[in-house]
Amino acid sequence: MTPVTPARFDGYSILITAAGQGIGAATAHRLAAEGASVLVTDLDAKRASDRAAAIREAGGTADSLACDVADRTAVEAAVAHAVESFGRLDVLVNNAYAASEDAELFEDVPDEQWERDLDITLSGPFRCARAALPHLVASGRGAIVTIGSVNGEQDFGGHGYSAAKAGLASLTRTLAGHAGPRGVRVNLVAPGTIRTDAWAGRDAELERAAALYPLGRIGTPEDIASAVAFLASSDASWITGTTLRVDGGILAVNTGFRQAMAQQP
Ligand SMILES: NC(=O)c1ccc[n+]([C@@H]2O[C@H](COP(=O)([O-])OP(=O)(O)OC[C@H]3O[C@@H](n4cnc5c(N)ncnc54)[C@H](O)[C@@H]3O)[C@@H](O)[C@H]2O)c1
């Protein structure tokens, strides 16, 4: 029997956007624990450097850099920094997003909100992938894993955010088609509701949401980190262009319909 090695990412250099907290942070910890050198980037410089320090304290290898994915120059600098620090770039994890509150009436959605949600959530991963691709090709085992959302596949509210997440599934496919022959895999993870600071102060809503999940709970950042690690690793070496739902079954099962039908007249 071949032993399963715990260090799937020994010798890998990985750049993660928006990794100061939440899903990005859990992913950074997971990949570092499996041997990767991780560049933790975030809009918030202190958040990124605190996260990198925590990874180093846990025995991992990490550096940090402030990077706003809306800024092409900052994105290119982050890619260059990863290559300079770790000598290569093997994996890009696109995790940054923007999600505006929906206006009560659709006709009141401001241009700036719509444009910002698309710019950060959809164009951000485009900018990062464009800057990283030559290095991922050079790696010979390059992979891009982008964080989408169940919002890209069904209505959970959030007009611009959801449209952007749906767009990421398309970008994943077109980029997979382009980059596959160059040796780079491209995949999307679509999380359901995950307990992060994005939901701070909304415990009652999370409790109501949990009741709708076939698996009886909402997700954790670690649930997503393990899926990202799988898709980034050689365990997924024949998987590209796909969307992996990590959603406790919410897209597959119509819980509301089942509950309505189960009610006694
Ligand atoms: N939490 C959920 O329920 C949930 C569900 C589905 C999908 N997702 C997706 O997971 C990813 C991470 O979500 P989370 O809940 O962990 O996030 P979070 O809100 O906890 O953290 C977001 C981080 O992004 C950083 N950031 C914000 N704007 C940025 C920018 N322009 N450039 C770089 N960094 C920026 C922030 O500083 C912060 O550290 C996102 O893509 C989100 O759409 C989350």
Side-chain angles (χ1 to χ4, degrees), residues 106-117:
F106 183 76
E107 48 270 50
D108 293 336
V109 174
D111 284 357
E112 307 76 53
Q113 277 189 7
W114 172 263
E115 283 157 12
R116 182 165 170 75
D117 284 0

Side-chain angles (χ1 to χ4, degrees), residues 22 25 30 35 47 56 75 86-87 134 159 193 198 207 215 227 256 262:
R30 172 67 186 257
R47 212 174 267 171
R56 288 193 296 271
V75 164
F86 306 133
H159 302 295
T193 311
E207 212 169 295
L215 291 180

Side-chain angles (χ1 to χ4, degrees), residues 140-160:
R141 58 188 182 192
I144 298 174
V145 183
T146 299
I147 309 300
S149 171
V150 292
N151 287 52
E153 298 194 39
Q154 199 186 102
D155 166 38
F156 291 89
H159 302 295

Side-chain angles (χ1 to χ4, degrees), residues 18 20-24 42-44 47 67-70 95-97 116 120 147-149 161 165 191-194 196-199:
Q21 66 180 37
I23 289 168
D42 199 287
L43 181 64
D44 184 322
R47 212 174 267 171
C67 176
D68 178 351
V69 301
N95 173 65
Y97 76 109
R116 182 165 170 75
I120 306 298
I147 309 300
S149 171
Y161 173 76
K165 292 294 191 183
T193 311
I194 308 295
T196 68
D197 285 351
W199 290 94

